[in-house]
Amino acid sequence: MSTYTVTGMTCGHCVSSVKEEVGEVPGVTGVEVDLGSGRVDVSGDSLDDAAIRAAIEEAGYQVAG
């Protein structure tokens, strides 16, 4: 599992956008998003960090750190 802190999410639609984009990355089997903390937990096999970060940015948000 990989965990990311995402900034800019403010509502349920934001959560849905991130889940949808990250869920399309090859190897991802699950995405859990905590709106309050901005925490995004991604599970799967052979996760590609760069692809997950790109998917978050594609959804319109930034990965902190």
Side-chain angles (χ1 to χ4, degrees), residues 15 19 30-34 39-43:
V15 170
K19 280 187 172 184
V31 182
E32 293 298 323
V33 180
D34 183 310
R39 179 179 167 139
V40 177
D41 293 322
V42 182
S43 55

Side-chain angles (χ1 to χ4, degrees), residues 11-63:
C11 64
H13 176 25
C14 300
V15 170
S16 295
S17 294
V18 169
K19 280 187 172 184
E20 181 178 339
E21 289 291 337
V22 174
E24 292 178 3
V25 174
V28 172
T29 58
V31 182
E32 293 298 323
V33 180
D34 183 310
L35 180 61
S37 67
R39 179 179 167 139
V40 177
D41 293 322
V42 182
S43 55
D45 297 320
S46 302
L47 295 175
D48 182 342
D49 183 67
I52 293 169
R53 289 174 179 269
I56 292 169
E57 291 176 6
E58 180 70 26
Y61 308 97
Q62 296 295 316
V63 178

